[in-house]
């Protein structure tokens, strides 16, 4: 295992991300804890000492599972990271309540690493708002030794990240960003790395293989890379790219099975950063992958001068491209939450004035109409996902209150509904005596 010096400790260059733990029957809320424990045991045995979880992972169950699993190991043998869930504005006034519950869920007295989770366009104002006292509270916990190192994660644009750093950059010790060879240009990750370098902040990497998208390439792309490095696996190319970027200290991978873990462990036995020729080939492949599924907007802004609605069309197309390539995902919807209604894709009136001056001849009005329709569909799905998350949390709280197994609990519409279910479940026979009440 490669180790990186960070402050006064040594971190394994590979960390175990706990957002994609093994699950039961494809249900993300039901972690296969035995399989997850096997992954952790293998990771520990091979030198991985960094474990990254969060409040919302696996519908709130990741912290619980990792707390139980890691409690079997000496506390000085691993570094545990979790995050304040600012991705939901509902949580902004609950920093103390959530932090205390996280310590309980993870069965620890302190966190080695703690992050402002997902700084972005949607929550930057709230994160910086002193009325919530988030930064002040977390710094207080750090002074008390309950947080050893404080940082932040971000899916934000460079300007939003800069706003955060201008406010809190003097005490941020690390930053976690989405970084891989596809997003080096696609999500402007190169500029984000350069920004962090300005503040002398080490880089933590999430999504190194972009949710598995870079773990398996098409036949022609695979053949081109194999010709350059016959013994290198395709996922390893993504990690080798990162090994060549100065400032990268921690690379997180959400490994869901033993094959993925063992493959990554072999990759991290040594550092083999890409040569200039190999990097050029990889970036050419990235451009080809993006070109097939994205619109060729160059952000010339000719369109914006002719839009009667004053839409920021290049930025909307950038988000549309992200949404298309990812086949959904949360980044584009999250960014659009910060837009006023009159500046969203749905505000396009279809006049096509922009298309008349577009050098790339993009059918902008059609793209924005499609984007708007997809957002309507995503918003509907998001409502159901949010309800599922609340339902799962209620299950967990009821289970803990009653010391029951999840399958012994049912959430029903009303007391009457519950009593009817219970009554219908009793096998009554002729001659049985029934005692009832006159209170309902």
């Amino acid at each position: 295992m490669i180790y990186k010096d960070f402050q006064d400790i040594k971190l394994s260059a590979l960390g175990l991300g706990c957002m994609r733990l093994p699950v039961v029957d494809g249900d993300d809320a039901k972690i296969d804890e035995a399989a997850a424990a096997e992954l952790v045991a293998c990771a520990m045995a091979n030198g991985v000492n960094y474990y990254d979880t969060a409040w919302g992972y696996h519908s709130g169950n990741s912290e619980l599972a990792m707390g139980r699993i890691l409690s079997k190991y000496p506390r000085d043998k691993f570094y545990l990271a979790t995050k304040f869930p600012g991705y939901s504005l509902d949580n902004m006034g609950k920093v103390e309540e959530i932090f205390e519950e996280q310590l309980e869920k993870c069965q620890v007295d302190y966190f080695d690493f703690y992050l402002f989770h997902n700084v972005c366009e949607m929550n930057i104002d709230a994160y910086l708002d002193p009325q919530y006292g988030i930064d002040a509270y977390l710094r207080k916990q750090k002074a008390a030794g309950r947080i050893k190192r404080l940082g932040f994660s971000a899916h934000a644009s460079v300007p939003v990240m800069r706003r955060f750093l201008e406010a809190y950059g003097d005490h941020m010790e690390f930053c976690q960003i989405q970084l891989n060879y596809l997003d080096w240009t696609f999500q402007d990750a190169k500029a984000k790395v350069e920004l962090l370098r300005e503040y002398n902040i080490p880089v933590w990497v999430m999504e190194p293989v972009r949710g598995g998208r870079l773990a398996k390439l098409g036949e022609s792309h695979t053949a081109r890379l194999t010709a350059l490095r016959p013994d290198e696996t395709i996922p390893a190319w993504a990690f080798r790219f990162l090994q060549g970027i100065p400032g990268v200290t921690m690379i997180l991978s959400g490994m869901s099975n033993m094959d993925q873990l063992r493959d990554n462990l072999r990759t991290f036995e040594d550092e083999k950063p890409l040569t200039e020729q190999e990097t050029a080939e990889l970036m050419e492949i990235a451009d080809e992958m993006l070109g097939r599924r994205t619109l060729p907007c160059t952000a010339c802004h000719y369109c914006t001068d002719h839009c009667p609605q004053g839409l920021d069309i290049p930025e909307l197309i950038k988000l549309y491209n992200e949404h298309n390539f990812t086949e959904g995902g949360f980044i584009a919807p999250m960014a659009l939450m910060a837009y006023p209604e009159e500046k969203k894709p749905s505000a396009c009136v279809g006049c096509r004035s922009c298309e008349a001056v577009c050098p790339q001849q993009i059918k902008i009005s059609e793209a924005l109409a499609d984007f708007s329709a997809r957002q309507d569909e995503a918003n509907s799905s998001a409502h159901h996902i949010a309800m599922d998350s609340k339902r799962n949390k209620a299950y967990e709280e009821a289970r803990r209150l009653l010391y029951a197994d999840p399958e012994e609990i049912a959430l029903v519409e009303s007391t009457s509904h519950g009593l009817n279910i219970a009554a219908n479940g009793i096998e009554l026979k002729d001659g049985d005596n029934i005692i009832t009440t006159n209170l309902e």
Side-chain angles (χ1 to χ4, degrees):
M1 175 57 62
I2 304 163
Y3 289 90
K4 298 284 187 177
D5 291 324
F6 177 74
Q7 298 180 355
D8 58 343
I9 62 176
K10 288 187 177 294
L11 295 173
S12 56
L14 174 67
L16 178 62
C18 303
M19 187 176 75
R20 297 187 178 97
L21 295 171
V23 298
V24 178
D25 298 329
D27 187 342
D28 189 65
K30 295 181 180 178
I31 297 171
D32 185 338
E33 207 159 308
E38 290 180 8
L39 284 178
V40 171
C42 181
M44 287 277 192
N46 286 276
V48 175
N49 62 11
Y50 190 95
Y51 298 84
D52 172 87
T53 184
W55 177 262
Y57 292 173
H58 289 286
S59 299
N61 293 317
S62 177
E63 288 177 328
L64 286 165
M66 292 307 297
R68 288 189 287 265
I69 292 169
L70 291 174
S71 68
K72 306 296 191 297
Y73 298 88
R75 185 62 182 89
D76 62 352
K77 297 300 182 184
F78 62 88
Y79 298 106
L80 178 62
T82 194
K83 313 168 186 75
F84 173 71
Y87 51 79
S88 172
L89 297 178
D90 292 339
N91 294 329
M92 289 303 180
K94 304 175 183 177
V95 60
E96 181 175 359
E97 172 190 339
I98 288 173
F99 183 79
E100 295 296 338
E101 186 171 345
Q102 287 177 307
L103 288 172
E104 181 182 342
K105 289 171 71 177
C106 292
Q107 301 186 32
V108 293
D109 297 321
Y110 64 89
F111 292 115
D112 302 282
F113 294 82
Y114 197 86
L115 298 85
F116 291 78
H117 198 172
N118 189 19
V119 174
C120 64
E121 287 75 4
M122 176 268 294
N123 61 24
I124 182 64
D125 290 333
Y127 264 145
L128 300 184
D129 192 333
Q131 73 164 311
Y132 296 118
I134 298 168
D135 180 64
Y137 178 81
L138 296 181
R139 293 177 74 178
K140 182 179 177 181
Q141 301 315 304
K142 187 175 187 300
R146 303 173 87 200
I147 293 173
K148 301 300 182 183
R149 298 154 193 93
L150 184 61
F152 70 106
S153 70
H155 284 285
S157 63
V158 172
V160 170
M161 285 181 62
R162 187 176 291 280
R163 275 188 67 196
F164 186 85
L165 288 167
E166 286 172 351
Y168 301 148
D170 62 336
H171 54 276
M172 289 296 108
E173 298 169 85
F174 64 104
C175 175
Q176 190 165 305
I177 61 172
Q178 181 165 316
L179 177 56
N180 52 66
Y181 63 82
L182 193 76
D183 288 315
W184 189 241
T185 55
F186 189 39
Q187 283 200 13
D188 216 8
K190 180 181 179 182
K192 296 175 185 179
V193 169
E194 292 170 350
L195 173 63
L196 295 173
R197 194 173 297 143
E198 285 181 35
Y199 284 82
N200 197 30
I201 295 177
V203 177
W204 262 230
V205 175
M206 56 179 159
E207 302 293 354
V209 292
R210 216 175 201 273
R213 185 62 60 88
L214 305 181
K216 185 177 181 180
L217 303 180
E219 289 184 12
S220 63
H221 291 159
T222 298
R224 285 159 61 181
L225 295 182
T226 302
L228 292 171
R229 290 195 181 192
D231 298 326
E232 202 80 89
T233 66
I234 293 303
W237 274 86
F239 296 118
R240 300 303 186 202
F241 169 77
L242 296 170
Q243 288 176 349
I245 299 176
V248 169
T249 301
M250 171 59 57
I251 300 175
L252 297 168
S253 180
M255 296 162 279
S256 304
N257 59 58
M258 201 63 75
D259 287 341
Q260 293 173 358
L261 174 60
R262 288 175 176 148
D263 191 24
N264 289 349
L265 289 171
R266 284 191 291 270
T267 299
F268 280 84
E269 288 176 357
D270 47 26
E271 287 193 289
K272 296 179 182 177
L274 302 182
T275 65
E276 188 174 332
Q277 177 193 356
E278 290 167 338
T279 300
E281 185 71 20
L282 197 63
M283 299 314 293
E284 185 175 319
I285 287 174
D287 288 342
E288 292 172 7
M289 292 172 66
L290 290 169
R292 294 171 184 170
R293 306 189 66 174
T294 59
L295 299 176
C297 176
T298 62
C300 67
H301 285 87
Y302 294 164
C303 54
T304 57
D305 293 335
H306 291 75
C307 178
Q309 301 297 92
L311 301 181
D312 187 349
I313 295 171
E315 189 62 26
L316 291 175
I317 290 179
K318 179 181 177 182
L319 292 174
Y320 180 65
N321 283 340
E322 161 64 29
H323 205 57
N324 266 351
F325 186 83
T326 311
E327 296 180 352
F330 66 91
I331 292 177
M334 179 181 65
L336 287 175
M337 288 176 66
Y339 282 58
E341 288 299 323
E342 66 271 16
K343 298 300 179 183
K344 291 183 177 181
S346 57
C348 173
V349 296
C351 68
R352 301 193 175 185
S353 297
C354 54
E355 296 174 14
V357 296
C358 177
Q360 308 303 319
Q361 299 182 353
I362 298 171
K363 295 181 179 179
I364 297 169
S365 60
E366 293 180 15
L368 294 184
D370 182 50
F371 198 12
S372 178
R374 292 188 185 202
Q375 290 313 297
D376 289 343
E377 182 179 344
N379 290 337
S380 176
S381 298
H383 171 74
H384 292 294
I385 291 170
M387 292 303 296
D388 286 343
S389 177
K390 290 179 180 180
R391 187 179 297 110
N392 289 331
K393 185 176 181 181
Y395 268 116
E396 178 59 28
E397 290 177 350
R399 183 195 67 76
R400 291 166 62 187
L401 175 66
L402 301 172
Y403 296 95
D405 292 327
E407 59 269 19
E408 295 178 304
I409 297 171
L411 297 183
V412 296
E413 297 175 0
S414 64
T415 303
S416 297
H417 187 193
L419 290 172
N420 284 332
I421 292 174
N424 287 321
I426 301 173
E427 295 184 5
L428 297 173
K429 303 184 295 294
D430 289 341
D432 286 343
N433 293 317
I434 301 175
I435 300 175
T436 185
T437 175
N438 62 358
L439 298 179
E440 181 172 328

